[in-house]
Structure formats: structure tokens, C-alpha cells
């Protein structure tokens, strides 16, 4: 979201804007590492186009997605972080010709995220979330009840729907019991990265429980909490990379 990108751009000393396909790609450095920062835009097609431009025009060596998601599995609560191990499109269904969820002609329904980047993101998240007040301030901790945020590793599911009813959330949980959280882009970017043989990783801050209360003050949460998490985790992860990559 815009709020998350603005927080990243504020930490990039030398960003240059390059406009491709109606998107602003910000080329520069973050924590001394060369990066291209961009809004994925919302939905699977938009995110797939953004990923393709990153790979084709900018030749990036990996894509790391930061954003928000709705919690599905019990215990995946607002303010927690999910780092994907694999990603699936929950609205892909070409059955009975292909098994439900399988991407036709690929023979795959689950796309693996890069384990090394995911492990590194989860490790920095564990450290950072130990003291949420240091990251977001005591007021946001109270406002959003961020008492002891947790870091989860597992399946992220994506579809072209904002899940905002308890009935739909329950149906997804029944159909995909190991899904931790739902969002609208990750699995499409993972599919593009799979096609190109480039590592992909995704971290999502849980902004809602994908239920009847999921409309909440989304934008306020993104500004006050998720954008700070994204910046802290991406920044801390980049600073663990060897300098020669820069
Ligand atoms: N991103 C954040 N919350 C979401 C939800 N409930 N459904 C889909 N995408 C989301």
C-alpha cells in the first residue's frame, strides 16, 4: 500500500523514479543494497505484471513482498507477522479438467517461497516483534491490542477477493486447513518468479481476521503498524546481506 512504500522511500537516499506500465519503480539503495521499490498494486493480475516488469526491465535477483493480510488459522491475530513458506491461489479452479487449485499446465498448486530469505525474515521478525512499542509506539500498541505479536511460517493464500465475512473465512479454513492468512497478490507473484527461476519471499502483517469485522480502520492500521513493521523487517533483513551484493 502507498503508506508502506512511502516509509521505505523515506529511507532510500538516492531513489530515481522510472515509469513503466503506469507504475512508478523507485531505483536506488536501502541499507546500502541496490533495490527497486514499487507498489505491486492490488489483485493477482496487477501484481503479476509488476513482478514481470521487475524481472524483465530491472533484472532483479529476487522479489520480496511486504504487505498486509487477513488472518485465517486460529491464533493468527492482528499485529502478527506471517512469512510464507509456500503460496496458493485459492480462487484457481479448473476442475474437473485439472485438480482444484492447480495452475493448469504447470502441475502445481503450491509455489514454494525461498527458504533462505524466508528464514532470515522470520528471524529478524522474531527479534523486532519482541518489543512492539519500540516499533510503533505505546499508543498504537494499545489501540490495536498488540500485546505479544507472533511470527508464523506457513501457507499464504491469494485470490481476487477481499475476504470480509466470517462465512467465507470459515469456508477457506475448511477447504485449506493449513492456510495461515489470505491476501490478494502473493501467489501470483510466486508463480511469475517460479517461471523465471528467481527467488520469491513474502511477509505479511495481519491487519484483520478476514471476518465480519474485517472492514475496521484499515488505512490507520497500515500507517501506524504495518508500514513500520515492513520497513523494520525489510531494512533489518537487507542489512544482514553481504556488502559485496551491493
Ligand atoms: N489483505 C488484508 N486483509 C485481507 C483480507 N481480509 N482479504 C484479502 N486480502 C486482505
Amino acid at each position: 500500500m502507498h503508506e508502506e512504500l512511502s516509509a521505505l522511500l523515506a529511507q532510500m537516499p538516492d531513489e530515481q523514479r522510472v515509469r513503466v506500465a503506469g507504475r512508478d519503480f523507485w531505483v536506488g539503495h536501502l541499507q546500502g543494497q541496490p533495490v527497486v521499490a514499487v507498489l505491486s498494486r492490488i489483485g493477482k493480475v496487477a501484481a503479476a505484471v509488476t513482478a514481470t516488469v521487475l524481472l524483465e526491465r530491472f533484472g532483479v535477483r529476487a522479489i520480496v513482498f511486504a504487505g498486509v493480510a487477513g488472518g485465517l488459522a486460529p491464533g493468527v491475530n492482528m499485529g502478527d507477522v506471517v512469512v510464507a513458506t509456500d503460496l496458493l491461489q485459492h480462487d484457481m479452479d479448473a476442475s474437473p479438467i485439472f485438480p482444484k487449485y492447480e495452475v493448469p499446465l504447470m502441475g502445481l498448486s503450491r509455489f514454494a517461497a525461498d527458504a533462505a530469505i524466508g528464514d532470515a525474515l522470520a528471524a529478524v521478525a522474531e527479534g523486532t516483534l519482541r518489543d512492539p512499542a519500540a516499533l510503533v509506539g505505546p499508543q498504537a500498541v494499545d489501540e490495536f491490542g498488540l500485546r505479544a505479536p507472533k511470527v508464523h511460517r506457513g501457507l499464504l493464500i491469494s485470490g481476487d477477493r477481499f475476504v470480509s465475512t466470517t462465512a467465507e473465512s470459515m469456508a477457506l479454513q475448511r477447504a485449506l486447513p493449513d492456510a495461515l492468512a489470505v491476501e490478494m497478490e502473493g501467489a501470483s507473484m510466486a508463480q511469475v518468479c517460479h517461471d523465471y527461476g528467481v527467488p520469491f519471499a513474502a511477509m505479511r502483517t495481519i491487519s484483520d481476521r478476514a471476518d465480519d469485522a474485517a472492514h475496521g480502520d484499515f488505512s490507520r492500521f497500515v500507517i501506524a503498524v504495518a508500514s513500520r513493521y515492513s520497513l523494520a523487517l525489510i531494512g533489518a533483513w537487507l542489512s544482514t546481506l553481504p556488502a559485496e551484493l551491493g
Side-chain angles (χ1 to χ4, degrees):
M1 304 213 26
H2 278 106
E3 294 85 345
E4 294 170 285
L5 181 66
S6 303
L8 275 185
L9 291 179
Q11 301 296 316
M12 289 174 64
D14 58 347
E15 76 278 11
Q16 300 281 324
R17 183 173 68 117
V18 181
R19 212 167 154 77
V20 183
R23 291 146 168 79
D24 289 330
F25 292 81
W26 297 93
V27 182
H29 288 82
L30 191 60
Q31 299 293 338
Q33 298 287 350
V35 299
V36 183
V38 61
L39 280 182
S40 65
R41 296 202 173 182
I42 298 175
K44 293 189 301 170
V45 174
V49 170
T50 305
T52 307
V53 175
L54 281 169
L55 294 161
E56 284 284 351
R57 285 283 185 102
F58 296 94
V60 298
R61 287 169 290 179
I63 294 182
V64 177
F65 193 107
V68 291
L72 287 178
V76 180
N77 294 317
M78 201 168 176
D80 289 359
V81 164
V82 171
V83 180
T85 52
D86 45 359
L87 301 100
L88 168 148
Q89 297 174 42
H90 67 77
D91 54 358
M92 173 61 76
D93 186 1
S95 62
I97 305 165
F98 296 94
K100 191 168 182 189
Y101 307 122
E102 187 170 303
V103 178
L105 310 182
M106 291 189 82
L108 272 178
S109 55
R110 292 173 185 236
F111 292 85
D114 186 83
I117 301 176
D119 288 348
L121 283 172
V124 296
E126 291 281 359
T128 309
L129 294 193
R130 233 167 260 147
D131 187 3
L135 200 56
V136 303
Q139 198 189 324
V141 166
D142 280 348
E143 184 178 347
F144 297 107
L146 312 176
R147 290 287 161 241
K150 291 193 280 300
V151 181
H152 309 268
R153 292 276 272 139
L155 178 68
L156 257 185
I157 61 173
S158 314
D160 284 320
R161 265 199 313 272
F162 188 89
V163 179
S164 59
T165 66
T166 303
E168 186 172 359
S169 167
M170 296 305 294
L172 285 171
Q173 289 177 61
R174 273 193 299 273
L176 295 160
D178 60 333
L180 296 180
V182 60
E183 35 85 317
M184 301 179 68
E185 298 83 18
S188 72
M189 282 197 152
Q191 181 179 333
V192 173
C193 287
H194 175 91
D195 283 347
Y196 280 84
V198 167
F200 176 78
M203 62 132 303
R204 294 278 189 169
T205 303
I206 301 303
S207 56
D208 56 84
R209 279 286 305 166
D211 57 11
D212 294 335
H215 44 81
D217 195 346
F218 197 68
S219 150
R220 163 110 191 90
F221 179 84
V222 173
I223 293 168
V225 180
S227 61
R228 286 166 198 247
Y229 278 24
S230 296
L231 179 62
L233 300 196
I234 298 290
W237 166 66
L238 284 171
S239 67
T240 68
L241 297 181
E244 62 268 21
L245 279 181

